[in-house]
């Protein structure tokens, strides 16, 4: 039962959280790619209720075939996003590599008793998702050259958005569990959390925030390879109503880049936290379902 990041208790009051994430460019603009890579790398620390304290760059760059100014722009975008998060860059490592990759290793801290794991969800808990789904499908459309600039700009803003405020607000509220939605999609990450917590999860498709463009592109057959792998791997543990369109089913398995937090909170506190998230400008946050006792480790999606 791997969690979002590694945790090591240093003292009774301090545990460190360590995580590393890097990938190949998902958008054309290098500065924006740098920003997204940072938001993505910090996210696992936020998902665990921690505060990132330092970061280090990881760079793979084709020095013979790409102008160095591209790398400079990526790093500039990264530093700008780190400074927004209040996290100093303390070092890094770069190598010559035929394929460009960028990411970071991040260290955070949390009080050991305030650590939020991807286990511990309880029957009756409400489930809040803080960002819309569909970035993988839209990035595939971007690569295929069929996504309008306006759609790319919108989705880019979401991918570059930090999960810092959502994390702080969930800590203030007190929650049972949390994870962030990344490569395994909503269904994959939900299954992991349900298994670890020995509970089941029910979602209502109409409550889930989804980029409508992702639904449309999926309907036109655009889907990333990761989506098909997620479906193969996870569909045996998911029961999705036939009334949910096949394009929306795709979105549920879509791998996300720098996705939102999936927060599990007792029902009496859920509306209050949701209101605070909206008040902090996290407008798409929504209660998308609830935890049930059985069937353990299974996700059910109804219309
Ligand atoms: Co994660
Ligand atoms: Co990660």
């Amino acid at each position: 039962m791997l969690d979002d990041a590694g945790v090591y208790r240093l003292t009774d009051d301090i545990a460190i959280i360590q995580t590393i994430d890097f990938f190949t460019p998902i958008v054309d603009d290098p500065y924006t790619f740098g920003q997204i890579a940072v938001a993505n790398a910090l996210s696992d620390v936020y998902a665990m209720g921690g505060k990132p304290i330092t970061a280090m760059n990881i760079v793979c760059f084709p020095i013979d075939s790409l102008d160095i100014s591209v790398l400079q722009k990526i790093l500039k975008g990264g530093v700008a996003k780190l400074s927004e998060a209040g996290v100093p860059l303390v070092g890094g490592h770069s190598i010559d590599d035929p394929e460009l990759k960028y990411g970071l290793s991040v260290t955070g801290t949390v009080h050991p008793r305030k650590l939020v794991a991807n286990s511990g969800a309880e029957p009756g808990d409400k489930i809040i998702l803080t960002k819309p789904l569909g970035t993988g499908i839209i990035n595939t459309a971007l690569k295929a050259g069929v996504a309008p600039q306006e759609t790319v700009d919108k989705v880019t803003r979401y991918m570059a958005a930090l999960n810092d405020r959502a994390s702080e607000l969930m800590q203030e509220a007190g929650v049972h569990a949390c994870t962030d939605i990344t490569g395994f999609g909503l269904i994959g990450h939900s299954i992991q959390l349900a298994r670890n917590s020995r509970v089941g999860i029910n979602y209502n498709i109409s409550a889930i925030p989804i980029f409508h463009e992702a639904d449309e592109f999926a309907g036109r057959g655009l889907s990333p390879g990761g989506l098909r792998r997620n479906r193969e791997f996870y569909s045996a543990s998911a029961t999705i109503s036939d009334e949910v369109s096949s394009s929306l089913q795709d979105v549920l398995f879509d791998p996300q880049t720098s996705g939102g937090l999936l927060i599990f909170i007792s029902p009496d506190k859920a509306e209050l936290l949701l209101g605070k998230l909206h008040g902090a400008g996290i407008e798409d946050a929504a209660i998308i379902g609830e935890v049930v006792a059985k069937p353990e480790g299974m996700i059910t999606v109804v219309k």
Side-chain angles (χ1 to χ4, degrees):
M1 49 183 265
L2 279 180
D3 219 313
D4 288 293
V7 180
Y8 184 80
R9 182 193 290 242
L10 285 179
T11 70
D12 286 348
D13 300 323
I14 300 176
I16 54 168
I17 303 172
Q18 293 177 293
T19 179
I20 177 167
D21 250 298
F22 62 101
F23 45 48
T24 55
I26 26 136
V27 290
D28 294 331
D29 179 56
Y31 184 89
T32 309
F33 172 53
Q35 290 195 306
I36 294 170
V38 167
N40 182 66
L42 296 175
S43 180
D44 280 326
V45 176
Y46 294 133
M48 301 196 77
K51 191 177 156 27
I53 52 166
T54 59
M56 291 200 280
N57 278 336
I58 299 145
V59 177
C60 307
F61 193 80
I63 196 73
D64 293 331
S65 61
L66 214 54
D67 195 273
I68 195 74
S69 68
V70 173
L71 178 57
Q72 285 160 349
K73 285 177 191 147
I74 292 172
L75 298 181
K76 218 172 149 195
V79 165
K81 189 51 73 174
L82 282 171
S83 96
E84 180 189 330
V87 181
L89 183 72
V90 295
H93 184 69
S94 52
I95 60 161
D96 188 9
D97 188 307
E99 191 178 35
L100 170 59
K101 302 172 196 84
Y102 173 60
L104 302 100
S105 151
V106 179
T107 300
T109 57
V110 67
H111 193 289
R113 277 200 310 273
K114 295 216 73 176
L115 183 76
V116 183
N118 70 351
S119 60
E122 294 174 19
D125 279 357
K126 296 291 183 191
I127 306 168
I128 297 176
L129 176 64
T130 65
K131 286 186 189 178
L133 301 174
T135 64
I137 292 166
I138 292 171
N139 290 334
T140 301
L142 167 65
K143 281 187 183 127
V146 297
Q149 191 57 41
E150 158 193 331
T151 302
V152 175
D153 290 347
K154 177 172 74 173
V155 172
T156 298
R157 272 199 309 280
Y158 279 93
M159 291 189 293
L162 295 169
N163 284 326
D164 57 346
R165 282 298 286 148
S167 176
E168 286 161 21
L169 290 169
M170 82 164 174
Q171 278 291 28
E172 281 169 34
V175 303
H176 289 151
C178 179
T179 192
D180 58 339
I181 305 301
T182 53
F184 300 133
L186 176 68
I187 296 287
H189 289 284
S190 298
I191 288 171
Q192 290 177 343
L193 202 142
R195 282 179 188 159
N196 293 348
S197 308
R198 306 183 129 267
V199 296
I201 289 175
N202 289 353
Y203 287 134
N204 187 328
I205 191 74
S206 57
I208 301 176
I210 288 168
F211 293 112
H212 68 88
E213 295 92 339
D215 184 18
E216 288 154 27
F217 289 134
R220 288 159 58 184
L222 287 155
S223 72
L227 188 157
R228 293 188 289 275
R229 285 192 292 277
N230 284 342
R231 198 202 328 261
E232 270 169 39
F233 204 73
Y234 291 116
S235 59
S237 299
T239 307
I240 303 175
S241 161
D242 291 341
E243 290 179 60
V244 178
S245 71
S246 74
S247 55
L248 282 179
Q249 295 198 26
D250 278 358
V251 176
L252 298 175
F253 290 101
D254 186 37
Q256 302 299 286
T257 298
S258 189
L261 299 184
L262 189 69
I263 300 168
F264 294 70
I265 184 167
S266 64
D268 54 314
K269 296 178 181 174
E271 287 292 342
L272 188 63
L273 175 57
L274 187 67
K276 288 191 171 168
L277 289 165
H278 291 164
I282 306 166
E283 294 149 13
D284 300 274
I287 296 175
I288 65 169
E290 63 185 3
V291 177
V292 290
K294 283 187 176 10
E296 267 181 33
M298 289 287 296
I299 312 302
T300 306
V301 184
V302 299
K303 187 166 180 187

